[in-house]
Every structure is written in structure tokens, then in C-alpha cells.
Amino acid sequence: MVIVTGASTGIGAATARELARRGFHVLAGVRRDRDAEAIRGPGIEPLLIDITIPEHVRTLATRVDQDPQRRQLRAVVNNAGMGVNVPVEAFPMDEWRKLFEVNLFGHVGVTQAVLPALIRSKGRVINISSVGGKVAMATYGPYAATKFALEAVSDALRRELAATGVQVVVVEPGAVSTEMPSRAVAAANDLAAAMTPEQQLRYGGLVRAVNAQTVSHTTSCLSADAAAMVIAKAVTASRPRTRYTVGREAALIRLTRFMPDRTLDRALAAALRPHYRAGDRADPST
């Protein structure tokens, strides 16, 4: 048995189907009835779960402990999440807290709730991070902050559980063809519209350029099915790596290992420059 949160669409849905194809019984966490009906199929049992609601998390743990077939929990895939591209200054504090509740605290809560079952089965925790968990690009500060934190939690948890036989694996996707990038662009536009005139002057061109870059990347990125294959490997490999990368943006992670910060700053700025509109300035101070 495997739990996959955030299984309504994208990587989560593709992962649920791939694991079911491989013979696992998948508890697929979704938030709406229509998503439950869409994902339901052989080997896939949809559960209505909002990982930020403690009662839902407790219900999930009870479902695992009281499985009628007495199946062991092989893994939990912490995939639920939301994306947003917005400058640090312009992101309201209540939105910061909401983002951390979904992208970090919810995963910690799910992991805590099912960890006794995973310890009994010597199972696995698979945390879906991001290239943004290693590289914080402009306007990705809030999102990257949640993923950097998830990486840290994963490292600590891996070391804490080493003696129990439970393995902790991080999967770091780059651009993947899902609904998340388009939702992130829409959210960025809404937040940009609410910026003050001074913030618009500082960041308006930057936000538009990042959104254009995001759209351009999604036209040539990997499919959700390709990402699901990597996650399934993390679940099933006899000796899984501590981290798996997905997509061409994984090269950014390698760059951070040896490239000085200022050099990386210039490289990222150069990659973004072609996406600025005519009239927008890459450096509003000039």
C-alpha cells in the first residue's frame, strides 16, 4: 500500500496510476469529489484529504492502521503543493503562512501520522521537492523557501530514521507538464496587480519576464508520466538514492555545487533577459 497526496492532477495523479500499474494499492489523496471520481480505478482508492486539516490527516492514519486487507504501508509520497512566483516584498504575510501550511507543515503532519506504520514495515518517505529546493530564482523566494525547508526536514528525518530501516528520499523535479505552472502564473498576475505603484516600478517587468520564461519552459518540458516513473523508482528500488532529479533544469542543481553566488546570479539573469518585454527594464534602477 502506498499513499500519494495531491493526486488530483499532474505528477500526483500520474504517480498514483503508475504505482497501481505496478501492483500497489494506492490511497490517492484528493480534495474534491470530482477529482476522486476522475482518479478512481483498479488499485486506486481516492480519499478526500486536505493535508492542512488535522482531522483529515488523522483519518488517513486510521485508514492505514485499519486496512481491511492488513496490507503494510510501503511508502508515503508527499506530493501535494502549490506554486507561486512573486517578489518577497510583495507577498502578503498571510499568504506566506498559507504556502508553508500546504508545502511544508502539511507534509510534516502526514509523515508524523503514518510514521509508526512505516517503521513497522520499514517503508519509505518520498518527499517531492523541486529544483527550487536548491536554487532560489527571482520571484521564487516564497516557493523556494518552502522547498528548501522540505529538503532540510528530509535530511534530518533520513538521519533520525536510519536505524529503523525507514528510508527518506527526495525527488526534485524541474519543469514538468502539469497544471501547476499555469496556476502559478495566474496567481503571480493576481498578486502583481495588487502591488503598490512603487512595487510595480521595481518588479512589474521582472514578474512579466519570469511568467514568460515559465510559459516557454512548459512547452518543452517533461511529461507528468516521466516524473511518475522516477518517483515509482524511488518507491521500489532496492537501494534508492537519497535524491533524484527530474528534467533538464536539474543542471542548475549541479551548478550550485561549484559556481560562486555572483556568477550564478549573472547566469540566471542572462537566461531571463530574453523574456523581458520591449520597454521593460531588466534593471529598473537604470
Side-chain angles (χ1 to χ4, degrees):
M1 182 165 55
V2 177
I3 297 167
V4 180
T5 65
S8 296
T9 60
I11 292 175
T15 299
R17 294 189 177 103
E18 177 60 26
L19 290 170
R21 187 186 69 80
R22 297 188 184 206
F24 289 100
H25 183 80
V26 180
L27 302 180
V30 298
R31 295 184 61 194
R32 296 170 295 192
D33 288 328
R34 66 173 180 268
D35 295 330
E37 292 310 308
I39 194 66
R40 190 186 306 276
I44 300 178
E45 177 186 341
L47 296 176
L48 293 178
I49 300 170
D50 182 333
I51 64 171
T52 68
I53 299 177
E55 182 180 351
H56 287 196
V57 175
R58 287 193 293 269
T59 298
L60 172 63
T62 299
R63 168 64 187 81
V64 169
D65 290 338
Q66 298 179 0
D67 181 67
Q69 303 299 320
R70 296 185 178 180
R71 289 169 288 226
Q72 289 190 319
L73 182 61
R74 173 65 177 268
V76 56
V77 180
N78 287 313
N79 170 75
M82 56 189 294
V84 64
N85 306 335
V86 63
V88 170
E89 179 188 359
F91 199 45
M93 285 307 303
D94 58 343
E95 293 296 329
W96 276 92
R97 295 184 178 95
K98 178 181 177 182
L99 189 64
F100 268 84
E101 285 289 345
V102 175
N103 286 6
L104 178 67
F105 301 142
H107 298 319
V108 173
V110 169
T111 301
Q112 288 179 336
V114 302
L115 200 50
L118 287 172
I119 291 172
R120 289 194 298 270
S121 67
K122 299 186 186 301
R124 294 178 187 179
V125 178
I126 314 294
N127 287 331
I128 309 305
S129 179
S130 167
V131 169
K134 293 293 188 182
V135 183
M137 295 176 286
T139 79
Y140 283 85
Y143 178 76
T146 65
K147 295 301 185 180
F148 268 66
L150 184 62
E151 297 262 354
V153 168
S154 300
D155 283 343
L157 190 64
R158 185 181 70 250
R159 291 156 186 158
E160 292 163 0
L161 295 176
T164 70
V166 174
Q167 300 192 63
V168 180
V169 181
V170 175
V171 179
E172 298 163 335
V176 176
S177 181
T178 70
E179 294 180 4
M180 181 177 282
S182 61
R183 289 198 297 262
V185 168
N189 288 333
D190 290 343
L191 290 163
M195 290 193 297
T196 66
E198 187 177 7
Q199 291 170 345
Q200 289 281 359
L201 179 63
R202 274 197 290 274
Y203 308 119
L206 172 64
V207 170
R208 286 187 288 272
V210 170
N211 285 347
Q213 185 184 54
T214 299
V215 171
S216 71
H217 282 181
T218 56
T219 61
S220 59
C221 59
L222 288 178
S223 68
D225 289 338
M229 293 290 287
V230 177
I231 296 169
K233 182 177 181 180
V235 172
T236 60
S238 58
R239 297 184 65 183
R241 302 203 302 261
T242 59
R243 279 176 171 79
Y244 292 86
T245 57
V246 182
R248 64 185 184 185
E249 289 80 9
L252 276 176
I253 296 176
R254 292 190 289 272
L255 286 177
T256 62
R257 296 172 183 168
F258 64 89
M259 186 177 285
D261 287 345
R262 298 297 186 189
T263 304
L264 181 59
D265 290 349
R266 290 192 291 271
L268 293 174
L272 185 60
R273 197 169 294 120
H275 300 281
Y276 277 86
R277 295 180 184 177
D280 282 339
R281 292 173 293 180
D283 182 0
S285 67
T286 59

